């Protein structure tokens, strides 16, 4: 299985909340992971990031795709 | 600082690769985290997930927003 | 009408399911189509794709924008 | 393999164009497919869609995730 | 022309920067506009927003679709 | 506060509609703003945009992230 995406995170389901059309799942990720972000080079220059800097990675839940292999 | 997003992950910059328009940043996440996914209730039913199940969370790098607080 | 997007697919509404805030529409696409994906060059190298290879294209329903021309 | 997404389309790679950070892949989809869209109920009401209506489905290439199973 | 999206903003092209695969366009929006956001009800409760509150709306450029009508 | 995104828009909450899983917020943006879009260079060439051209910017509400600073 190979995905055309940089972020692949092994996780365990913690809770499920079912709605009429959309549902919300919470997961635990217990091991250290690597993540990746693509942004405009302009935004990168504004952030002025270099190795070792600490950031918050914000991801809307709608952009997280669970896959059961 | 409060974000209208379920996933907020503290991370450390590992590497930066600059391109003409877009750039790619890699991060290390060293602590255990909680993540959340929103999907259609139909997709949830197809996945048939319950607490304790293991999944892969796939996220395209373009959907990861770094914020420097 | 010109859209700044690579995928424009003619489709027929099959069903509509209304929810409180979000709704879900199903469509039939009866003719052969061309699709396009943008991903990181790193992900492309991992997938090692070349002309003729078969893949699954996975798209969350939230990313599909219906337009009535 | 089960994905938390409504759209799973079998496709054949037609061409690959590599860039510095991002790359673009074109695919052929030769068989009829079903697609799904999630949108706000307000947008649905504005579109006033019902079974049999014809629409254009617009999807930015960045939201298409190729998977090699 | 009707779009299955809540945000439709009339804008004027200010500059265009072409890259190998991706390009970046800047626009001016000169008139007052209305915008809309969909988020989880959990995130809404965390933000504790009510009419009159001031916020920043953050949108990655990749999610902005230009259409020439 | 620095975000890895090109669009940061100051806005005032106008209304909030709570749903079971997802909620919808409307905002007023009263001042002129600059916006940015990233798209494939192929799509840019199809649109044939140059400074001064008028377009519609279409953004699904799910891609708008409210932040309370």
């Amino acid at each position: 299985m190979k995905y055309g995406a940089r972020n692949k995170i092994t996780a365990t389901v913690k809770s499920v909340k079912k709605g009429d059309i959309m549902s919300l799942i919470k997961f635990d990720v217990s091991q250290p992971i690597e993540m990746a972000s693509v942004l405009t080079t302009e935004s990168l220059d504004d952030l002025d990031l270099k190795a070792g800097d600490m950031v918050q990675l914000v991801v809307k839940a709608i952009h997280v795709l669970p896959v059961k292999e």
Side-chain angles (χ1 to χ4, degrees), chain A residues 6-59:
Chain A
R6 289 292 78 198
N7 298 288
K8 283 150 277 186
I9 302 167
T10 302
T12 307
V13 176
K14 193 160 76 171
S15 68
V16 174
K17 189 174 174 193
K18 265 198 193 191
D20 57 353
I21 299 290
M22 305 305 282
S23 292
L24 174 63
I25 314 178
K26 300 284 183 64
F27 303 91
D28 281 318
V29 178
S30 55
Q31 77 286 21
I33 56 172
E34 182 184 283
M35 290 192 71
S37 168
V38 165
L39 69 178
T40 59
T41 300
E42 279 192 16
S43 286
L44 173 64
D45 289 343
D46 280 3
L47 283 170
D48 188 27
L49 292 178
K50 58 187 179 303
D53 284 356
M54 187 162 294
V55 298
Q56 296 297 311
L57 302 179
V58 177
V59 184

